[in-house]
Amino acid sequence: MSEIPAKATESEDPSDGARTRSAGGGSGDEAPPTDAMWQSSPPGSMYDYIKVASFSIGPDGLVDQWSLRAEQLFGIPAERAVGMDPIEAFVDPDLREQGQRKMAEVLDGREWTGVVPFRVPDGGTGRRGEEGLAEVYVMPTRTAEGDRAAVCTVVDVRTLRRIETDLAASQAIFGQSPFGFLLIDTDLKVRRANERFASIFGGTPRDHRGKGVHDYLPRGEAERVAATLRRVLDSGEAVTDLHVTGFVPGSDERRHWSVNLYRVHGGSGSPIGIAWLGIDTTARRAAAREAAAARRNLALLNDAGTRIGNSLDLETTARQLLDVVVPGFCDLATVDLYQGLLAGDETPPGLADGSAALCRVAFASAVSDAPLSGTGAPVELGAVHHYPFNSPCADALRTARPVTVPGEDGDLVQSTLAVPMVAQDTVVGLAQFSRAKGSEPFGQRDRDLAVELAARAAVNIDNARLYRREHERALILQRSLLPPGDPEASGLDIACRYLPGSAATGRAGEVGGDWFDVIELPGHRTALVVGDVMGRGLRAAVAMGELRTAVRTLALLDLEPAEVLSQLDEIARGLGAPGGVQQATRAARRPREADPSEVYLATCIYAVYDSVTRRCTFANAGHLPPVLVEPGESALMLDVPPGMPLGVGGEPFEEVEVELPEGALLALYTDGLVESRAHPLDEGLEAFVGALTDPSRPLEDVCDHVLNTLDSHHREDDIALLMARVQGLPAESVGDWTLPREPRSVGRAREDARAQLTAWDLEPLIDTTELLVSELVTNALRYGEGEIRLRLLLDRTLVCEVWDSGLVQPRRRRARDTDEGGRGLQLVGLLSAAWGSRRTTHGKTVWFELPLPDGENVLTDPAEALLNLF
């Protein structure tokens, strides 16, 4: 046989009797094959992998045809192979006899299949002596002349073993993978599915063959995934971590998968489909959501700690809570506080059944057209309302536990958390957090976070309530300690203003320790005081009241201004110690080293004005300088040494005496008037001096002009402003005489007093005045030293002063019935409105004061008073 027949030949398979037909022809009665049957095998067919070699053996047992694949397998070109005995050429000598028998059987018409070791002969290829194994399939056939021949197909066993290994590995990977594995063909249909995929979507792997993505995913998701599959198939670019969402058959639970896609190629390199590797990420996504929610909650708590509670205003604190939660936690929220809480009741909670009146103090929304309430009927901002007894909100208030309220059909709200605001086991209000339809529903973690946020806000609201109560008490205390109305003073026109810090500032209107005072002193003199305790709150107000009381006490002792501040400094150093004022008074009498934690620092300026001489003596303890405006002159700050603040101790205070012309304007003030965060002190002082341009205007108008010019209604600190216009005592209202130290000076003193009172048309006072002047001059002669000075002063009252150089202060005592003397000062006390004595730089002064007759005042008859003494 020289060639393989071109025509179809039939052979009988001894195993099953089947008749086979070669691909080269057919019966003449059969219809010709269609075009599709004659198409070439697609790239990547099995023959590309196996690479089958073939050759034919003629009737003589020699090779008569040799294929190109045979040349590649055995390394022998066709021109050498044709005519060779295959047994002699390739089979090992030990197996040649067996090979010859098999060949004879084949030529006798029997098929044979087996594995044959072979050796490549030297064919000039450099492969001589190479041995291998070939799987041979020998099929008997006949030549055109009817002689028996054979066709052999040969496959290298190594290639088969490699294919078996690859198939086993592919099967292991595909079948044993813990992930869903699909092989999708070029028509985007499932060609093969593994057990893991089938265990998730039901059935066996075979049941999923031929299905598409639309059989597993909702329409929109399926279209998206299908488009991705086509892109991978066309471009060859792999896709990793494609997020796919769907539902497992028979379940309403939404599942999530992460899918990796890559194109699969055949042996020829042409694409044959797409590999799909899917991982169920539902649990991982849930964990990621939980972690994200935890991070969000921590961020919200951190934000709440920063933003909630920096104001001591109840409504502001409620709004700060909503600024934190909307939209980071919910879509809309409201805060209701008990109306009694806002009204300043001592006990904030309402009725125990949760039906007490509440006020809607805050509302925030991140959605348009949102209702003004998470549950129930809408409530306007600022409106007072009640929750029905059987409502969820009333239940939350009653039990102090949060309640979840689902939204109603057609409502914008999906669900609402009604969370009571609890501080120190007391419910102060209710916060409602709502999420709109489409948002993620509230979970347990959200519920816990809402309780924590509401509790934080509740603590700050309760603190604001306590602060408001303390502030109101401090303000009442502070105002009660200030001079009532417009104070009056001899020889001065007084106007004053006191403004507490603005509630709109960062300190929320916390009361300070500013004060002023106008104290009338004997001899038609007046003490003007302005002070400022450093710090704020109730403690500062109490300290201010104690210092003000101490100033009045020291002033009435008629001490010099510097001495008053020195004593006040010691008192300030003891104010913080146990015992309060008593401890402070002992500190004033017995200086000691003060504990710094007990010290109250304060600034104070103390001035004493004498209306007779129009001279004013100043002493300053760390306070801002007074401002003086003389008629026709520009305002200027007086050069008064500032000294150290009260409470520092150890430094003496200096005095400065200034003569004030008639009509001059004197201004004392605290730093709240001229200093703020937006304006430095120098700028404020300059503005204050510039505002005092017309001192002739009414003092009330001057005060208002100053406050408006300096925009004082928006300052952080308290403001105290004391203004005085000088109106000196006229010379004709003063009677002044010097008397020698001799007995007749008593009679002369009576005559001078009578004459002066007659000139002043005060005859009703003559008898009383003569009697009391006689007593004081007599005491000066008996117990005093040097010459005697008598002075009568007429203003709102009549004041009589007797001066001498003695240092011994008169002391009032109770005389026995048998005593001949000792009743003079008792008489003075009975007949005068007030009397006393004070030290001077050259001795002492004893004085008494009589009210002017006005038709209503009834003066005590001197004779009757004398009778009462015996």
PDB file of all heavy atoms in Angstrom, residues 522 525 555-559 776 800-802 804 806-812 825 834-840 843-848:
ATOM      1  N   PRO A 522     -19.286 112.705 107.716  1.00  0.00           N
ATOM      2  CA  PRO A 522     -19.524 113.941 108.483  1.00  0.00           C
ATOM      3  C   PRO A 522     -18.832 115.135 107.836  1.00  0.00           C
ATOM      4  O   PRO A 522     -17.828 115.001 107.130  1.00  0.00           O
ATOM      5  CB  PRO A 522     -18.902 113.614 109.843  1.00  0.00           C
ATOM      6  CG  PRO A 522     -18.879 112.125 109.918  1.00  0.00           C
ATOM      7  CD  PRO A 522     -18.662 111.661 108.525  1.00  0.00           C
ATOM      8  N   ARG A 525     -18.999 115.828 103.705  1.00  0.00           N
ATOM      9  CA  ARG A 525     -18.036 115.157 102.836  1.00  0.00           C
ATOM     10  C   ARG A 525     -18.663 113.866 102.305  1.00  0.00           C
ATOM     11  O   ARG A 525     -19.591 113.329 102.896  1.00  0.00           O
ATOM     12  CB  ARG A 525     -16.742 114.845 103.603  1.00  0.00           C
ATOM     13  CG  ARG A 525     -15.989 116.097 104.042  1.00  0.00           C
ATOM     14  CD  ARG A 525     -14.812 115.766 104.955  1.00  0.00           C
ATOM     15  NE  ARG A 525     -15.241 114.993 106.109  1.00  0.00           N
ATOM     16  CZ  ARG A 525     -14.691 113.843 106.474  1.00  0.00           C
ATOM     17  NH1 ARG A 525     -13.679 113.332 105.797  1.00  0.00           N
ATOM     18  NH2 ARG A 525     -15.129 113.205 107.546  1.00  0.00           N
ATOM     19  N   ALA A 555     -15.261 103.408 106.062  1.00  0.00           N
ATOM     20  CA  ALA A 555     -15.494 104.809 105.707  1.00  0.00           C
ATOM     21  C   ALA A 555     -16.157 105.556 106.858  1.00  0.00           C
ATOM     22  O   ALA A 555     -15.819 106.709 107.147  1.00  0.00           O
ATOM     23  CB  ALA A 555     -16.358 104.889 104.451  1.00  0.00           C
ATOM     24  N   LEU A 556     -17.091 104.912 107.547  1.00  0.00           N
ATOM     25  CA  LEU A 556     -17.782 105.571 108.644  1.00  0.00           C
ATOM     26  C   LEU A 556     -16.874 105.754 109.855  1.00  0.00           C
ATOM     27  O   LEU A 556     -17.203 106.523 110.768  1.00  0.00           O
ATOM     28  CB  LEU A 556     -19.021 104.775 109.026  1.00  0.00           C
ATOM     29  CG  LEU A 556     -20.120 104.746 107.941  1.00  0.00           C
ATOM     30  CD1 LEU A 556     -21.278 103.865 108.366  1.00  0.00           C
ATOM     31  CD2 LEU A 556     -20.610 106.157 107.643  1.00  0.00           C
ATOM     32  N   LEU A 557     -15.749 105.053 109.892  1.00  0.00           N
ATOM     33  CA  LEU A 557     -14.742 105.330 110.923  1.00  0.00           C
ATOM     34  C   LEU A 557     -13.953 106.581 110.602  1.00  0.00           C
ATOM     35  O   LEU A 557     -13.128 107.017 111.401  1.00  0.00           O
ATOM     36  CB  LEU A 557     -13.782 104.133 111.048  1.00  0.00           C
ATOM     37  CG  LEU A 557     -14.380 102.836 111.593  1.00  0.00           C
ATOM     38  CD1 LEU A 557     -13.336 101.732 111.579  1.00  0.00           C
ATOM     39  CD2 LEU A 557     -14.930 103.038 112.995  1.00  0.00           C
ATOM     40  N   ASP A 558     -14.242 107.150 109.452  1.00  0.00           N
ATOM     41  CA  ASP A 558     -13.619 108.407 109.010  1.00  0.00           C
ATOM     42  C   ASP A 558     -12.105 108.272 108.915  1.00  0.00           C
ATOM     43  O   ASP A 558     -11.364 109.173 109.301  1.00  0.00           O
ATOM     44  CB  ASP A 558     -14.004 109.565 109.940  1.00  0.00           C
ATOM     45  CG  ASP A 558     -14.276 110.831 109.144  1.00  0.00           C
ATOM     46  OD1 ASP A 558     -13.793 110.895 108.006  1.00  0.00           O
ATOM     47  OD2 ASP A 558     -14.975 111.722 109.647  1.00  0.00           O
ATOM     48  N   LEU A 559     -11.644 107.140 108.385  1.00  0.00           N
ATOM     49  CA  LEU A 559     -10.220 106.945 108.166  1.00  0.00           C
ATOM     50  C   LEU A 559      -9.798 107.625 106.864  1.00  0.00           C
ATOM     51  O   LEU A 559     -10.611 107.881 105.974  1.00  0.00           O
ATOM     52  CB  LEU A 559      -9.897 105.453 108.096  1.00  0.00           C
ATOM     53  CG  LEU A 559     -10.297 104.592 109.310  1.00  0.00           C
ATOM     54  CD1 LEU A 559      -9.972 103.135 109.048  1.00  0.00           C
ATOM     55  CD2 LEU A 559      -9.583 105.094 110.559  1.00  0.00           C
ATOM     56  N   LEU A 776     -19.827 120.932 123.487  1.00  0.00           N
ATOM     57  CA  LEU A 776     -18.639 120.513 122.744  1.00  0.00           C
ATOM     58  C   LEU A 776     -17.448 121.418 123.018  1.00  0.00           C
ATOM     59  O   LEU A 776     -16.306 120.941 123.158  1.00  0.00           O
ATOM     60  CB  LEU A 776     -18.937 120.479 121.229  1.00  0.00           C
ATOM     61  CG  LEU A 776     -19.990 119.461 120.769  1.00  0.00           C
ATOM     62  CD1 LEU A 776     -20.052 119.409 119.241  1.00  0.00           C
ATOM     63  CD2 LEU A 776     -19.704 118.063 121.311  1.00  0.00           C
ATOM     64  N   CYS A 800     -22.494 121.021 112.863  1.00  0.00           N
ATOM     65  CA  CYS A 800     -21.628 121.824 113.741  1.00  0.00           C
ATOM     66  C   CYS A 800     -20.394 120.991 114.067  1.00  0.00           C
ATOM     67  O   CYS A 800     -20.511 119.833 114.482  1.00  0.00           O
ATOM     68  CB  CYS A 800     -22.374 122.218 115.007  1.00  0.00           C
ATOM     69  SG  CYS A 800     -21.325 123.090 116.204  1.00  0.00           S
ATOM     70  N   GLU A 801     -19.187 121.581 113.888  1.00  0.00           N
ATOM     71  CA  GLU A 801     -17.930 120.894 114.155  1.00  0.00           C
ATOM     72  C   GLU A 801     -17.094 121.707 115.123  1.00  0.00           C
ATOM     73  O   GLU A 801     -16.998 122.934 114.988  1.00  0.00           O
ATOM     74  CB  GLU A 801     -17.127 120.705 112.856  1.00  0.00           C
ATOM     75  CG  GLU A 801     -17.832 119.852 111.821  1.00  0.00           C
ATOM     76  CD  GLU A 801     -17.042 119.758 110.531  1.00  0.00           C
ATOM     77  OE1 GLU A 801     -16.299 120.709 110.204  1.00  0.00           O
ATOM     78  OE2 GLU A 801     -17.186 118.735 109.816  1.00  0.00           O
ATOM     79  N   VAL A 802     -16.516 121.052 116.110  1.00  0.00           N
ATOM     80  CA  VAL A 802     -15.604 121.679 117.068  1.00  0.00           C
ATOM     81  C   VAL A 802     -14.268 120.947 116.959  1.00  0.00           C
ATOM     82  O   VAL A 802     -14.195 119.730 117.172  1.00  0.00           O
ATOM     83  CB  VAL A 802     -16.152 121.615 118.498  1.00  0.00           C
ATOM     84  CG1 VAL A 802     -15.131 122.182 119.479  1.00  0.00           C
ATOM     85  CG2 VAL A 802     -17.477 122.367 118.602  1.00  0.00           C
ATOM     86  N   ASP A 804     -10.042 120.616 117.864  1.00  0.00           N
ATOM     87  CA  ASP A 804      -8.957 120.975 118.773  1.00  0.00           C
ATOM     88  C   ASP A 804      -7.765 120.073 118.468  1.00  0.00           C
ATOM     89  O   ASP A 804      -7.868 119.143 117.651  1.00  0.00           O
ATOM     90  CB  ASP A 804      -9.384 120.858 120.241  1.00  0.00           C
ATOM     91  CG  ASP A 804      -9.619 119.436 120.683  1.00  0.00           C
ATOM     92  OD1 ASP A 804      -8.632 118.729 120.910  1.00  0.00           O
ATOM     93  OD2 ASP A 804     -10.814 119.003 120.769  1.00  0.00           O
ATOM     94  N   GLY A 806      -6.201 118.006 120.525  1.00  0.00           N
ATOM     95  CA  GLY A 806      -6.087 116.819 121.361  1.00  0.00           C
ATOM     96  C   GLY A 806      -6.367 115.551 120.590  1.00  0.00           C
ATOM     97  O   GLY A 806      -7.116 115.526 119.619  1.00  0.00           O
ATOM     98  N   LEU A 807      -5.749 114.455 121.040  1.00  0.00           N
ATOM     99  CA  LEU A 807      -5.911 113.179 120.356  1.00  0.00           C
ATOM    100  C   LEU A 807      -6.881 112.249 121.061  1.00  0.00           C
ATOM    101  O   LEU A 807      -7.252 111.219 120.527  1.00  0.00           O
ATOM    102  CB  LEU A 807      -4.554 112.487 120.224  1.00  0.00           C
ATOM    103  CG  LEU A 807      -3.504 113.237 119.396  1.00  0.00           C
ATOM    104  CD1 LEU A 807      -2.195 112.477 119.404  1.00  0.00           C
ATOM    105  CD2 LEU A 807      -3.985 113.471 117.985  1.00  0.00           C
ATOM    106  N   VAL A 808      -7.281 112.624 122.292  1.00  0.00           N
ATOM    107  CA  VAL A 808      -8.181 111.758 123.059  1.00  0.00           C
ATOM    108  C   VAL A 808      -9.590 111.899 122.497  1.00  0.00           C
ATOM    109  O   VAL A 808     -10.136 113.009 122.440  1.00  0.00           O
ATOM    110  CB  VAL A 808      -8.151 112.123 124.554  1.00  0.00           C
ATOM    111  CG1 VAL A 808      -9.125 111.230 125.324  1.00  0.00           C
ATOM    112  CG2 VAL A 808      -6.746 112.001 125.105  1.00  0.00           C
ATOM    113  N   GLN A 809     -10.148 110.765 122.068  1.00  0.00           N
ATOM    114  CA  GLN A 809     -11.486 110.774 121.505  1.00  0.00           C
ATOM    115  C   GLN A 809     -12.528 110.809 122.625  1.00  0.00           C
ATOM    116  O   GLN A 809     -12.360 110.155 123.661  1.00  0.00           O
ATOM    117  CB  GLN A 809     -11.703 109.526 120.659  1.00  0.00           C
ATOM    118  CG  GLN A 809     -10.821 109.450 119.421  1.00  0.00           C
ATOM    119  CD  GLN A 809     -11.257 110.445 118.371  1.00  0.00           C
ATOM    120  OE1 GLN A 809     -12.430 110.745 118.209  1.00  0.00           O
ATOM    121  NE2 GLN A 809     -10.267 111.009 117.670  1.00  0.00           N
ATOM    122  N   PRO A 810     -13.593 111.610 122.459  1.00  0.00           N
ATOM    123  CA  PRO A 810     -14.649 111.645 123.496  1.00  0.00           C
ATOM    124  C   PRO A 810     -15.352 110.296 123.558  1.00  0.00           C
ATOM    125  O   PRO A 810     -15.507 109.610 122.543  1.00  0.00           O
ATOM    126  CB  PRO A 810     -15.577 112.748 123.009  1.00  0.00           C
ATOM    127  CG  PRO A 810     -15.366 112.823 121.540  1.00  0.00           C
ATOM    128  CD  PRO A 810     -13.905 112.501 121.320  1.00  0.00           C
ATOM    129  N   ARG A 811     -15.764 109.914 124.750  1.00  0.00           N
ATOM    130  CA  ARG A 811     -16.426 108.626 124.945  1.00  0.00           C
ATOM    131  C   ARG A 811     -17.697 108.865 125.726  1.00  0.00           C
ATOM    132  O   ARG A 811     -17.693 109.439 126.826  1.00  0.00           O
ATOM    133  CB  ARG A 811     -15.505 107.676 125.702  1.00  0.00           C
ATOM    134  CG  ARG A 811     -16.098 106.281 125.902  1.00  0.00           C
ATOM    135  CD  ARG A 811     -15.045 105.341 126.471  1.00  0.00           C
ATOM    136  NE  ARG A 811     -14.591 105.804 127.762  1.00  0.00           N
ATOM    137  CZ  ARG A 811     -15.188 105.497 128.924  1.00  0.00           C
ATOM    138  NH1 ARG A 811     -16.265 104.732 128.945  1.00  0.00           N
ATOM    139  NH2 ARG A 811     -14.701 105.957 130.053  1.00  0.00           N
ATOM    140  N   ARG A 812     -18.753 108.424 125.144  1.00  0.00           N
ATOM    141  CA  ARG A 812     -20.046 108.586 125.792  1.00  0.00           C
ATOM    142  C   ARG A 812     -20.188 107.540 126.888  1.00  0.00           C
ATOM    143  O   ARG A 812     -19.922 106.357 126.655  1.00  0.00           O
ATOM    144  CB  ARG A 812     -21.150 108.434 124.755  1.00  0.00           C
ATOM    145  CG  ARG A 812     -22.559 108.634 125.306  1.00  0.00           C
ATOM    146  CD  ARG A 812     -23.567 108.558 124.176  1.00  0.00           C
ATOM    147  NE  ARG A 812     -24.929 108.670 124.636  1.00  0.00           N
ATOM    148  CZ  ARG A 812     -26.018 108.643 123.870  1.00  0.00           C
ATOM    149  NH1 ARG A 812     -25.851 108.498 122.568  1.00  0.00           N
ATOM    150  NH2 ARG A 812     -27.225 108.768 124.369  1.00  0.00           N
ATOM    151  N   LEU A 825     -22.335 114.429 126.522  1.00  0.00           N
ATOM    152  CA  LEU A 825     -22.462 113.691 125.268  1.00  0.00           C
ATOM    153  C   LEU A 825     -23.789 112.958 125.164  1.00  0.00           C
ATOM    154  O   LEU A 825     -24.307 112.742 124.062  1.00  0.00           O
ATOM    155  CB  LEU A 825     -21.311 112.695 125.132  1.00  0.00           C
ATOM    156  CG  LEU A 825     -19.918 113.307 124.941  1.00  0.00           C
ATOM    157  CD1 LEU A 825     -18.858 112.238 124.824  1.00  0.00           C
ATOM    158  CD2 LEU A 825     -19.888 114.207 123.723  1.00  0.00           C
ATOM    159  N   ALA A 834     -27.469 113.056 114.546  1.00  0.00           N
ATOM    160  CA  ALA A 834     -26.297 112.199 114.543  1.00  0.00           C
ATOM    161  C   ALA A 834     -25.142 112.995 115.117  1.00  0.00           C
ATOM    162  O   ALA A 834     -25.126 114.230 115.077  1.00  0.00           O
ATOM    163  CB  ALA A 834     -25.972 111.730 113.124  1.00  0.00           C
ATOM    164  N   TRP A 835     -24.180 112.287 115.682  1.00  0.00           N
ATOM    165  CA  TRP A 835     -22.987 112.944 116.191  1.00  0.00           C
ATOM    166  C   TRP A 835     -21.836 111.944 116.151  1.00  0.00           C
ATOM    167  O   TRP A 835     -22.021 110.752 115.966  1.00  0.00           O
ATOM    168  CB  TRP A 835     -23.191 113.467 117.616  1.00  0.00           C
ATOM    169  CG  TRP A 835     -23.134 112.344 118.648  1.00  0.00           C
ATOM    170  CD1 TRP A 835     -24.109 111.485 118.996  1.00  0.00           C
ATOM    171  CD2 TRP A 835     -21.996 111.999 119.432  1.00  0.00           C
ATOM    172  NE1 TRP A 835     -23.700 110.594 119.942  1.00  0.00           N
ATOM    173  CE2 TRP A 835     -22.375 110.899 120.245  1.00  0.00           C
ATOM    174  CE3 TRP A 835     -20.692 112.510 119.548  1.00  0.00           C
ATOM    175  CZ2 TRP A 835     -21.515 110.305 121.145  1.00  0.00           C
ATOM    176  CZ3 TRP A 835     -19.832 111.928 120.462  1.00  0.00           C
ATOM    177  CH2 TRP A 835     -20.234 110.827 121.252  1.00  0.00           C
ATOM    178  N   GLY A 836     -20.626 112.447 116.324  1.00  0.00           N
ATOM    179  CA  GLY A 836     -19.477 111.570 116.314  1.00  0.00           C
ATOM    180  C   GLY A 836     -18.197 112.364 116.379  1.00  0.00           C
ATOM    181  O   GLY A 836     -18.202 113.588 116.588  1.00  0.00           O
ATOM    182  N   SER A 837     -17.108 111.671 116.234  1.00  0.00           N
ATOM    183  CA  SER A 837     -15.799 112.316 116.252  1.00  0.00           C
ATOM    184  C   SER A 837     -14.892 111.594 115.264  1.00  0.00           C
ATOM    185  O   SER A 837     -15.111 110.428 114.941  1.00  0.00           O
ATOM    186  CB  SER A 837     -15.187 112.285 117.645  1.00  0.00           C
ATOM    187  OG  SER A 837     -14.912 110.952 118.042  1.00  0.00           O
ATOM    188  N   ARG A 838     -13.886 112.288 114.797  1.00  0.00           N
ATOM    189  CA  ARG A 838     -12.930 111.697 113.860  1.00  0.00           C
ATOM    190  C   ARG A 838     -11.570 112.327 114.091  1.00  0.00           C
ATOM    191  O   ARG A 838     -11.452 113.459 114.583  1.00  0.00           O
ATOM    192  CB  ARG A 838     -13.373 111.929 112.420  1.00  0.00           C
ATOM    193  CG  ARG A 838     -13.348 113.380 111.970  1.00  0.00           C
ATOM    194  CD  ARG A 838     -13.790 113.513 110.520  1.00  0.00           C
ATOM    195  NE  ARG A 838     -13.676 114.871 110.016  1.00  0.00           N
ATOM    196  CZ  ARG A 838     -14.599 115.805 110.144  1.00  0.00           C
ATOM    197  NH1 ARG A 838     -15.747 115.519 110.782  1.00  0.00           N
ATOM    198  NH2 ARG A 838     -14.401 117.011 109.657  1.00  0.00           N
ATOM    199  N   ARG A 839     -10.556 111.584 113.740  1.00  0.00           N
ATOM    200  CA  ARG A 839      -9.191 112.105 113.832  1.00  0.00           C
ATOM    201  C   ARG A 839      -8.913 112.989 112.614  1.00  0.00           C
ATOM    202  O   ARG A 839      -9.424 112.751 111.527  1.00  0.00           O
ATOM    203  CB  ARG A 839      -8.178 110.973 113.872  1.00  0.00           C
ATOM    204  CG  ARG A 839      -8.158 110.219 115.178  1.00  0.00           C
ATOM    205  CD  ARG A 839      -6.948 109.280 115.219  1.00  0.00           C
ATOM    206  NE  ARG A 839      -6.842 108.581 116.486  1.00  0.00           N
ATOM    207  CZ  ARG A 839      -7.353 107.407 116.752  1.00  0.00           C
ATOM    208  NH1 ARG A 839      -8.045 106.791 115.819  1.00  0.00           N
ATOM    209  NH2 ARG A 839      -7.216 106.850 117.937  1.00  0.00           N
ATOM    210  N   THR A 840      -8.090 113.969 112.831  1.00  0.00           N
ATOM    211  CA  THR A 840      -7.593 114.802 111.749  1.00  0.00           C
ATOM    212  C   THR A 840      -6.070 114.777 111.790  1.00  0.00           C
ATOM    213  O   THR A 840      -5.462 114.191 112.692  1.00  0.00           O
ATOM    214  CB  THR A 840      -8.102 116.251 111.888  1.00  0.00           C
ATOM    215  OG1 THR A 840      -7.558 116.826 113.075  1.00  0.00           O
ATOM    216  CG2 THR A 840      -9.634 116.276 111.955  1.00  0.00           C
ATOM    217  N   GLY A 843      -5.261 116.658 115.084  1.00  0.00           N
ATOM    218  CA  GLY A 843      -6.010 116.449 116.323  1.00  0.00           C
ATOM    219  C   GLY A 843      -7.259 115.643 116.070  1.00  0.00           C
ATOM    220  O   GLY A 843      -7.208 114.556 115.506  1.00  0.00           O
ATOM    221  N   LYS A 844      -8.406 116.269 116.484  1.00  0.00           N
ATOM    222  CA  LYS A 844      -9.680 115.566 116.329  1.00  0.00           C
ATOM    223  C   LYS A 844     -10.765 116.589 116.076  1.00  0.00           C
ATOM    224  O   LYS A 844     -10.593 117.790 116.297  1.00  0.00           O
ATOM    225  CB  LYS A 844      -9.994 114.759 117.587  1.00  0.00           C
ATOM    226  CG  LYS A 844     -10.291 115.583 118.818  1.00  0.00           C
ATOM    227  CD  LYS A 844     -10.695 114.716 119.982  1.00  0.00           C
ATOM    228  CE  LYS A 844     -11.054 115.539 121.222  1.00  0.00           C
ATOM    229  NZ  LYS A 844      -9.898 116.279 121.744  1.00  0.00           N
ATOM    230  N   THR A 845     -11.890 116.068 115.618  1.00  0.00           N
ATOM    231  CA  THR A 845     -13.081 116.886 115.385  1.00  0.00           C
ATOM    232  C   THR A 845     -14.265 116.155 115.978  1.00  0.00           C
ATOM    233  O   THR A 845     -14.476 114.971 115.716  1.00  0.00           O
ATOM    234  CB  THR A 845     -13.319 117.111 113.883  1.00  0.00           C
ATOM    235  OG1 THR A 845     -12.196 117.795 113.321  1.00  0.00           O
ATOM    236  CG2 THR A 845     -14.575 117.934 113.649  1.00  0.00           C
ATOM    237  N   VAL A 846     -15.064 116.870 116.762  1.00  0.00           N
ATOM    238  CA  VAL A 846     -16.320 116.343 117.303  1.00  0.00           C
ATOM    239  C   VAL A 846     -17.445 117.116 116.625  1.00  0.00           C
ATOM    240  O   VAL A 846     -17.394 118.347 116.551  1.00  0.00           O
ATOM    241  CB  VAL A 846     -16.394 116.494 118.828  1.00  0.00           C
ATOM    242  CG1 VAL A 846     -17.682 115.873 119.353  1.00  0.00           C
ATOM    243  CG2 VAL A 846     -15.185 115.856 119.494  1.00  0.00           C
ATOM    244  N   TRP A 847     -18.448 116.411 116.167  1.00  0.00           N
ATOM    245  CA  TRP A 847     -19.499 117.054 115.377  1.00  0.00           C
ATOM    246  C   TRP A 847     -20.859 116.517 115.763  1.00  0.00           C
ATOM    247  O   TRP A 847     -20.987 115.435 116.326  1.00  0.00           O
ATOM    248  CB  TRP A 847     -19.262 116.828 113.884  1.00  0.00           C
ATOM    249  CG  TRP A 847     -19.198 115.343 113.538  1.00  0.00           C
ATOM    250  CD1 TRP A 847     -18.111 114.551 113.566  1.00  0.00           C
ATOM    251  CD2 TRP A 847     -20.321 114.505 113.178  1.00  0.00           C
ATOM    252  NE1 TRP A 847     -18.448 113.255 113.245  1.00  0.00           N
ATOM    253  CE2 TRP A 847     -19.787 113.205 112.981  1.00  0.00           C
ATOM    254  CE3 TRP A 847     -21.671 114.738 113.001  1.00  0.00           C
ATOM    255  CZ2 TRP A 847     -20.598 112.147 112.617  1.00  0.00           C
ATOM    256  CZ3 TRP A 847     -22.480 113.687 112.631  1.00  0.00           C
ATOM    257  CH2 TRP A 847     -21.934 112.387 112.430  1.00  0.00           C
ATOM    258  N   PHE A 848     -21.864 117.304 115.415  1.00  0.00           N
ATOM    259  CA  PHE A 848     -23.247 116.827 115.508  1.00  0.00           C
ATOM    260  C   PHE A 848     -24.010 117.413 114.331  1.00  0.00           C
ATOM    261  O   PHE A 848     -23.588 118.393 113.702  1.00  0.00           O
ATOM    262  CB  PHE A 848     -23.894 117.210 116.844  1.00  0.00           C
ATOM    263  CG  PHE A 848     -24.087 118.675 117.042  1.00  0.00           C
ATOM    264  CD1 PHE A 848     -25.198 119.357 116.527  1.00  0.00           C
ATOM    265  CD2 PHE A 848     -23.154 119.410 117.766  1.00  0.00           C
ATOM    266  CE1 PHE A 848     -25.359 120.717 116.728  1.00  0.00           C
ATOM    267  CE2 PHE A 848     -23.317 120.763 117.963  1.00  0.00           C
ATOM    268  CZ  PHE A 848     -24.416 121.428 117.462  1.00  0.00           C
TER     269      PHE A 848
END
